Amino acid sequence: MDNKEQLNFAIIENRTKIIPVMKETKLSGKKYVGYGEDNRYPEYLFGLYQNSTILQSIINGIVDYTVGQGVNGLFLAEQVNVDGETWDDICKNIMLDIMVTDGFALNILRDAENRISEIYWLNVSNVRLSEDGKTGFYDENINGWGAKPKELPIFDPKQKQKSSIFYYKGASRGLYPIPRWSGAIKAVETSCEISNYHLKSILNNFSPSAIISFNNGVPDKATQEAMEKKINKKFVGSDNVNRFILSFSESGENATTVQKIDSDTADQKFHTLKDSITEEIFIAFRATPALFGMNPENTGFSKTEFLESFQLFNKTVIEPLQKTLNKQFKKIFDSKEDVLTFNQFTVWDDKINVVENE
């Protein structure tokens, strides 16, 4: 082997991204059940909302469409609490929580005569429940959870509770809600990674793919693996862009070389992938891109088509959400009448109201 050139290749694969799983976990020494494997699942969902422009656009649009031109309340008409918050303020926060997690939480206060006197929105990410679902725990500093959270009973209209937590969990059969778009979580993750990839491709000097040749000898297997791990940790992934091939050989005048591997179809592949995941995310929300500021390419999407799409979306998504809010507040106020009245969303101009109240 002394007279023969030794050559060894090692391909560094991209690191696997671990996607958090929604799981209710019993926490040692805690009275409440963990929300997710690490008790941080709602934070993960809000992180996706903050980092995915597609997801954020859809959710913000649905919140705006649902709240419409304003919300009026049958009870607590002027303001819902001493902080001066209105039904608009409360409903906007509730709708954002519903669209991200499919749940929301409120702090309900009663006066001396056991009438509901104030309502405060609670960040659903900061609320946990006891195993029997009868006690709520609220920690204003979600990053803590080491300190003792505030403990309150879960709202019960039949009980005289001075202060309680009303907790809505959507269609979940467990303690905590599961997002209605959970089937598209991987697509949302992919959209975030694609955006991150393109940003780092511009900022980084390394080419999208390369061969790194070490031409000063072939080290033992342990040394090769150690070098691979170091380069993988520093350069591979969407944060640092991309995948490398390491080459170890005896020749090359003892110099380390980097050779770019061209990929003429990379842009096309990313474009196709982006189109696919965008469609998947919109399907999860039963939404049409044009309703959220994304105009279809090479189509004559007209004003009439927009209005027709909005009317359908309003009937299948917005009105059911408004009914959900009313159903929950009817429970809270023990009312047979709808508690909330929505001034429906208008488009194009003040003279055109695309929603006809029946």
Side-chain angles (χ1 to χ4, degrees), residues 94-303:
I94 287 175
M95 279 308 308
L96 179 59
D97 286 346
I98 287 179
M99 294 318 303
V100 174
T101 70
D102 204 25
F104 70 87
L106 299 170
N107 182 204
I108 310 296
L109 303 183
R110 293 181 180 272
D111 58 21
E113 297 180 3
N114 202 39
R115 296 175 302 188
I116 294 176
S117 57
E118 294 182 76
I119 295 177
Y120 290 89
W121 166 80
L122 297 179
N123 186 340
V124 73
S125 295
N126 297 25
V127 179
R128 299 294 182 270
L129 302 177
S130 60
E131 191 171 359
D132 61 8
K134 295 181 179 180
T135 305
F137 300 85
Y138 182 71
D139 193 336
E140 293 183 353
N141 181 15
I142 186 66
N143 293 322
W145 278 114
K148 186 177 180 180
K150 188 175 183 179
E151 184 175 338
L152 290 171
I154 292 299
F155 177 82
D156 185 344
K158 298 179 181 179
Q159 301 295 325
K160 293 183 178 181
Q161 301 167 316
K162 184 177 181 180
S163 179
S164 62
I165 293 177
F166 181 86
Y167 193 83
Y168 172 75
K169 60 178 182 179
S172 172
R173 296 182 180 180
L175 284 174
Y176 300 118
I178 299 174
R180 55 187 63 197
W181 49 276
S182 60
I185 284 180
K186 290 182 180 179
V188 173
E189 282 275 15
T190 303
S191 72
C192 294
E193 291 298 327
I194 288 177
S195 295
N196 196 37
Y197 178 93
H198 285 305
L199 173 63
K200 297 302 179 180
S201 292
I202 295 172
L203 297 178
N204 291 349
N205 291 325
F206 271 102
S207 59
S209 188
I211 295 178
I212 302 176
S213 301
F214 296 92
N215 301 315
N216 56 347
V218 180
D220 57 58
K221 186 176 181 180
T223 301
Q224 292 180 34
E225 291 177 351
M227 293 173 69
E228 291 171 19
K229 289 180 180 179
K230 288 181 180 180
I231 296 178
N232 183 62
K233 183 178 181 181
K234 189 168 184 179
F235 296 113
V236 177
S238 67
D239 280 337
N240 292 291
V241 185
N242 273 314
R243 185 181 184 213
F244 293 90
I245 298 178
L246 296 188
S247 171
F248 301 94
S249 65
E250 297 288 357
S251 63
E253 298 181 358
N254 297 328
T256 298
T257 59
V258 179
Q259 180 180 353
K260 177 181 177 181
I261 300 177
D262 292 322
S263 179
D264 295 334
T265 62
D267 290 341
Q268 182 180 350
K269 289 180 180 179
F270 273 114
H271 182 74
T272 302
L273 179 60
K274 184 177 180 180
D275 288 345
S276 175
I277 63 172
T278 297
E279 181 180 7
E280 186 174 343
I281 295 171
F282 274 99
I283 289 174
F285 286 92
R286 293 186 291 173
T288 301
L291 296 178
F292 300 88
M294 297 180 64
N295 294 323
E297 296 180 2
N298 301 319
T299 65
F301 198 78
S302 66
K303 177 178 177 179

Side-chain angles (χ1 to χ4, degrees), residues 61-79:
I62 292 177
V63 171
D64 290 340
Y65 289 152
T66 305
V67 176
Q69 303 300 111
V71 183
N72 300 318
L74 183 62
F75 305 95
L76 307 176
E78 296 298 324
Q79 58 185 39

